[in-house]
C-alpha cells in the first residue's frame, strides 16, 4: 500500500584566495568530524580486517562483496517499501568501504587500482540506492514527482563526482567540498529511509521524512554541482591567462 507522501593542476595556476569565515569554520568542523569518526571506526574495524586477512580474503574481494550487498539491499527492499530493513542491510555492507582500506594498509598494498575500483563501485552503490527509491515511487509508492526527484538525486550525485574527476584529468584543481558530498547524501537519505521505515512498525508520521530528505539532497546536490563548476571555471580562466602570458613573454 502506498504511504502518504510517497502514496541518501597545476600549482603554478593556483593562488591563495580568502575563504568566507563561515565557510572556513564549516570546512574545519567537517574535517574534524571526518578525522575523529574515521579514527573511531579504524579502531573498531582493525581486528575484523586482520581476521579477514588471516582467512586469505583480499581487499578487492571485500570491496566487491560490500557493493553487491549494498546493491541487493537497495534493489530488493526499497522497491517494496521496506525501508527499515533495506537501510539496515545497506549500512552493514557500507562498512566494507572502511574495512577494505584498513586491510590494504595492513597488507601494505595500497594501489591506484584499489582506489579506482573502490571509487567506481561507490558510484554503483549510490545509483542502486536512489534507483531503488525511484522504483518505489514509480510503483507501489505511486508518486511520479518523488520518483523524478529520486532520479535527479541519482544523476546529480554522479555529476558531482564527474566534475571533480574531469577537472583533475585536465590538470585543473577542484578544491571545493561543496554543500552536499557523497557522505552527506548517504547519511541524509539512509537515516531518513530507515526512520521512515518505522511506519510499518506502527510509528506515526515518520513516512514524511523520506520525501523531505530527497528534496534536501536534490537541492544540495544541485548547489554542489554549481559550486564545483564555478571553481573549475575560475581555475580554467586563470590557467588560460597564465598560459597566454607565458606565450606572450616568449
Amino acid at each position: 500500500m502506498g504511504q502518504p507522501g510517497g502514496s541518501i593542476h597545476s600549482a603554478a595556476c593556483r593562488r591563495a584566495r580568502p575563504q568566507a569565515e563561515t565557510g572556513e569554520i564549516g570546512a574545519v568542523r567537517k574535517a574534524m568530524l571526518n578525522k575523529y569518526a574515521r579514527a573511531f571506526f579504524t579502531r573498531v574495524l582493525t581486528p575484523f580486517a586482520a581476521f579477514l586477512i588471516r582467512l586469505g580474503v583480499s581487499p578487492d574481494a571485500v570491496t566487491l562483496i560490500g557493493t553487491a550487498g549494498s546493491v541487493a539491499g537497495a534493489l530488493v527492499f526499497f522497491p517494496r517499501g521496506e525501508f527499515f530493513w533495506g537501510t539496515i542491510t545497506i549500512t552493514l555492507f557500507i562498512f566494507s568501504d572502511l574495512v577494505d582500506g584498513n586491510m590494504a594498509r595492513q597488507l601494505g598494498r595500497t594501489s591506484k587500482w584499489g582506489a579506482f575500483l573502490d571509487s567506481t563501485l561507490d558510484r554503483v552503490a549510490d545509483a542502486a540506492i536512489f534507483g531503488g527509491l525511484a522504483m518505489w515511487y514509480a510503483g507501489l509508492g505511486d508518486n511520479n514527482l518523488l520518483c523524478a526527484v529520486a532520479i535527479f538525486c541519482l544523476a546529480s550525485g554522479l555529476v558531482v563526482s564527474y566534475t571533480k574527476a574531469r577537472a583533475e584529468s585536465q590538470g585543473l584543481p577542484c578544491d571545493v567540498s561543496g554543500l552536499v558530498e557523497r557522505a552527506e547524501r548517504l547519511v541524509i537519505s539512509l537515516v531518513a529511509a530507515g526512520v521512515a521505515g518505522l511506519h510499518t512498525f506502527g510509528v506515526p508520521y515518520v513516512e514524511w521524512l523520506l520525501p523531505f530528505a530527497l528534496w534536501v539532497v536534490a537541492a544540495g546536490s544541485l548547489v554542489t554541482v554549481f559550486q564545483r563548476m564555478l571553481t573549475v571555471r575560475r581555475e580554467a580562466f586563470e590557467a588560460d591567462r597564465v598560459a597566454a602570458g607565458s606565450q606572450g613573454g616568449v
Side-chain angles (χ1 to χ4, degrees):
M1 181 181 295
Q3 298 177 10
S7 254
I8 104 149
H9 91 263
S10 117
C13 295
R14 291 189 45 81
R15 58 183 178 187
R17 299 185 184 88
Q19 257 189 318
E21 186 177 348
T22 52
E24 221 170 71
I25 292 172
V28 170
R29 286 177 177 169
K30 182 185 285 189
M32 289 178 65
L33 180 60
N34 287 340
K35 174 184 175 183
Y36 291 118
R38 185 166 289 274
F40 169 77
F41 284 114
T42 296
R43 287 195 299 271
V44 171
L45 296 174
T46 292
F48 180 61
F51 173 70
L52 291 178
I53 291 172
R54 288 195 297 273
L55 291 179
V57 180
S58 71
D60 287 352
V62 173
T63 302
L64 291 167
I65 293 170
T67 301
S70 296
V71 169
L75 298 183
V76 170
F77 291 102
F78 282 180
R80 298 189 297 184
E82 297 177 7
F83 299 127
F84 179 79
W85 294 115
T87 300
I88 293 297
T89 303
I90 294 167
T91 301
L92 289 174
F93 282 101
I94 275 179
F95 280 108
S96 67
D97 196 39
L98 298 175
V99 174
D100 58 7
N102 192 307
M103 292 173 66
R105 285 190 295 274
Q106 289 190 48
L107 291 168
R109 280 196 213 156
T110 54
S111 66
K112 291 183 178 180
W113 161 250
F116 171 81
L117 180 66
D118 193 54
S119 180
T120 301
L121 293 184
D122 281 348
R123 306 288 86 76
V124 173
D126 294 355
I129 290 169
F130 289 106
L133 294 173
M135 290 170 67
W136 158 253
Y137 287 117
L140 297 174
D142 193 23
N143 192 316
N144 288 336
L145 177 59
L146 288 175
C147 174
V149 174
I151 293 172
F152 181 84
C153 290
L154 188 163
S156 59
L158 296 177
V159 174
V160 166
S161 299
Y162 176 80
T163 51
K164 186 177 181 70
R166 181 60 176 165
E168 292 177 346
S169 73
Q170 297 188 69
L172 296 170
C174 186
D175 296 333
V176 55
S177 295
L179 184 63
V180 176
E181 293 186 289
R182 181 175 188 257
E184 287 81 9
R185 290 195 303 272
L186 286 181
V187 169
I188 293 171
S189 303
L190 291 178
V191 168
V195 174
L198 294 176
H199 174 76
T200 58
F201 297 97
V203 179
Y205 309 120
V206 292
E207 65 272 17
W208 295 99
L209 185 60
L210 180 56
F212 176 74
L214 287 175
W215 281 107
V216 169
V217 171
S221 297
L222 182 61
V223 170
T224 303
V225 169
F226 279 110
Q227 285 178 305
R228 292 193 171 184
M229 288 180 67
L230 290 173
T231 297
V232 175
R233 179 177 182 271
R234 185 172 60 240
E235 295 290 351
F237 284 171
E238 183 180 336
D240 290 343
R241 179 183 61 78
V242 170
S246 299
Q247 291 175 0
V250 173

